[in-house]
């Protein structure tokens, strides 16, 4: 059995209180970094990083983050390790647990992060799977806290594919009492089981989950529009067939005129300028993607703080 509090495998495992506490820690750590003084809380500890998919933000910020904490990042090369081929997942997880203090994993199947958590003794952090991107959601929450103050009753409108980022943002909304709107072409909605998992919590908080098949309807009451690539990593083969469906789902200056005046925009990045979002919106004053990108550092340090504090020493 996995102790799901020990890890961050999916945001659904963490309570509202734990998420809010993580955002508070992230804000404190951000202030520290801005003042030039870092806590070396994890001095002498090591953080393993296993990335099966490309990354700029996640891999950089975890490395910088553990370095600021006085620890060592250890990059693990998937080709060299041959997980499940050269060696079993079980044996890799057991060995890593003897050397490093926590493991950050970006991979295709959610099942892999779950197995690494099951077989190892160290905390595992999901740095993006085909299903979820919890680190992005916590960084987004920190940005919302900074830009809007409060979460309760706000409306997040995700314009695009019902993908891993959309799934984690939906969970975040359910946990923190925000409405979630998805605007996507028919057939590109979020998996039913993920939506159904969030619905009772949304209902309890008096919040709505809505899906529209045009972006115009989705933005009218939004506090923030969220964008992501139409074709996620691993789906490159679907690019041609997907793109034509998604063309109307672009965040543009025109779309923003249909949203409330105060409505902001964010994108998890990397952005495909001219596809899901225009240059003009990316470079405009309503775009808070770069604030969110900065928060990847602080929010992930806060996640490390939460999971590594509980297991500060290894055997
Ligand atoms: N948003 C995000 O996870 O960026 P990277 O893929 O560059 O890590
Ligand atoms: N949905 C995107 C997010 C990239 C950070 C992908 O999985 O490629």
């Amino acid at each position: 059995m996995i102790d799901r509090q020990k890890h961050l495998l999916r945001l659904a495992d963490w309570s509202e209180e734990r998420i809010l506490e993580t955002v508070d820690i992230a804000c404190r750590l951000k202030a520290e970094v801005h003042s030039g003084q870092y806590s070396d809380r994890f001095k002498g500890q090591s953080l393993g990083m296993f990335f099966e998919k490309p990354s700029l933000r996640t891999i950089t910020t975890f490395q910088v983050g553990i370095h600021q904490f006085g620890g060592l990042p250890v990059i693990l090369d998937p080709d060299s390790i041959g997980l499940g081929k050269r060696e079993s997942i079980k044996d890799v997880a057991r060995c890593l647990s003897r050397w490093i203090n926590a493991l950050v994993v970006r991979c295709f199947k959610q099942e892999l992060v779950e197995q690494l958590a099951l077989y190892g003794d160290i905390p595992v952090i999901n740095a993006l799977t085909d299903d979820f991107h919890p680190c992005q959601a916590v960084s987004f929450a920190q940005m919302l806290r900074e830009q809007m103050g409060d979460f309760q009753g706000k409306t997040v409108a995700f314009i695009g594919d019902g993908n891993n980022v959309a799934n984690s943002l939906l969970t975040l909304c359910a946990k923190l009492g925000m409405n979630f709107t998805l605007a996507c072409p028919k057939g590109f909605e979020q998996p039913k089981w993920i939506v159904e998992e969030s619905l009772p919590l949304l209902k309890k908080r008096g919040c709505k989950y809505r899906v529209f098949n045009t972006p115009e309807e989705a933005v009218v009451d939004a506090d923030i529009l969220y964008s992501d690539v139409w074709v996620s990593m691993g789906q490159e083969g679907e690019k041609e067939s997907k793109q034509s469906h998604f063309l109307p789902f672009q965040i543009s200056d025109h779309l923003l005129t249909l949203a409330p005046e105060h409505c902001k925009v964010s994108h998890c990045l990397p952005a495909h300028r001219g596809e899901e979002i225009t240059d003009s919106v990316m470079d405009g004053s309503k775009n808070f993607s770069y604030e969110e990108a900065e928060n990847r550092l602080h929010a992930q340090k806060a996640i490390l703080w939460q999971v590594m504090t509980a297991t500060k020493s290894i055997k």
Side-chain angles (χ1 to χ4, degrees), residues 54-59 106 128 133 136 233 268-270 296:
S55 173
L56 168 67
R57 279 146 288 272
T58 315
I59 200 157
R106 169 169 288 196
L128 182 148
H133 198 358
Q136 189 75 50
M233 293 179 280
C268 58
L269 306 177
R296 301 298 303 280

Side-chain angles (χ1 to χ4, degrees), residues 7-283:
H7 311 277
L8 179 55
L9 303 176
R10 49 207 297 273
L11 203 58
D13 295 337
W14 283 21
S15 66
E16 177 186 8
E17 292 69 31
R18 191 159 165 85
I19 296 169
L20 289 174
E21 184 185 62
T22 308
V23 173
D24 284 346
I25 295 170
C27 291
R28 188 159 49 75
L29 293 171
K30 184 170 184 173
E32 272 184 22
V33 170
H34 284 199
S35 75
Q37 290 187 329
Y38 311 138
S39 153
D40 62 354
R41 186 172 183 82
F42 300 115
K43 196 168 174 201
Q45 299 205 26
S46 309
L47 180 66
M49 267 172 286
F50 181 86
F51 278 58
E52 285 184 344
K53 295 182 182 184
S55 173
L56 168 67
R57 279 146 288 272
T58 315
I59 200 157
T60 307
T61 49
F62 269 116
Q63 287 183 80
V64 172
I66 192 66
H67 170 73
Q68 290 181 351
F69 273 143
L72 175 76
V74 180
I75 304 289
L76 301 161
D77 173 20
D79 288 338
S80 169
I81 293 168
L83 201 57
K85 294 185 194 106
R86 181 172 184 264
E87 197 165 358
S88 69
I89 297 170
K90 190 184 266 183
D91 285 348
V92 170
R94 284 183 181 165
C95 289
L96 287 174
S97 299
R98 301 291 177 118
W99 308 318
I100 59 174
N101 301 86
L103 180 62
V104 175
V105 181
R106 169 169 288 196
C107 60
F108 294 86
K109 300 229 171 303
Q110 177 69 19
E111 199 187 346
L112 178 57
V113 288
E114 305 269 339
Q115 285 183 332
L116 288 164
L118 177 68
Y119 295 132
D121 290 331
I122 49 173
V124 175
I125 298 167
N126 177 346
L128 182 148
T129 61
D130 290 346
D131 294 336
F132 301 110
H133 198 358
C135 295
Q136 189 75 50
V138 178
S139 313
F140 173 64
Q142 185 183 5
M143 185 275 285
L144 285 185
R145 157 74 57 81
E146 293 164 344
Q147 302 304 328
M148 297 185 182
D150 194 17
F151 301 108
Q152 184 65 42
K154 297 283 188 299
T155 298
V156 177
F158 190 99
I159 313 296
D161 192 22
N163 64 15
N164 45 8
V165 174
N167 293 341
S168 288
L169 294 194
L170 167 58
T171 308
L172 182 85
C173 287
K175 296 273 176 179
L176 302 188
M178 296 186 280
N179 304 300
F180 185 89
T181 308
L182 174 69
C184 70
K186 266 199 171 47
F188 294 95
E189 294 84 7
Q190 295 167 271
K192 213 168 156 206
W193 72 270
I194 290 174
V195 176
E196 281 173 357
E197 190 177 63
S198 286
L199 286 180
L201 206 50
L202 284 169
K203 194 169 167 203
K204 198 167 137 199
R205 307 290 301 255
C207 296
K208 289 178 287 193
Y209 175 76
R210 292 170 300 167
V211 180
F212 295 107
N213 294 127
T214 63
E216 290 80 7
E217 292 170 280
V219 303
V220 290
D221 58 356
D223 295 294
I224 185 146
L225 307 186
Y226 206 90
S227 181
D228 186 8
V229 291
W230 293 332
V231 179
S232 286
M233 293 179 280
Q235 301 179 339
E236 290 76 9
E238 296 166 38
K239 190 169 178 191
E240 297 295 306
S241 59
K242 260 188 137 178
Q243 223 152 6
S244 58
H245 294 284
F246 279 91
L247 284 174
F249 293 82
Q250 182 186 63
I251 300 187
S252 61
D253 287 327
H254 169 69
L255 192 65
L256 271 173
T257 63
L258 306 176
E261 180 57 33
H262 69 269
C263 184
K264 298 177 175 31
V265 175
S266 195
H267 190 306
C268 58
L269 306 177
H272 291 171
R273 288 165 171 251
E275 292 184 19
E276 72 274 3
I277 193 161
T278 60
D279 267 327
S280 170
V281 175
M282 277 304 287
D283 297 332

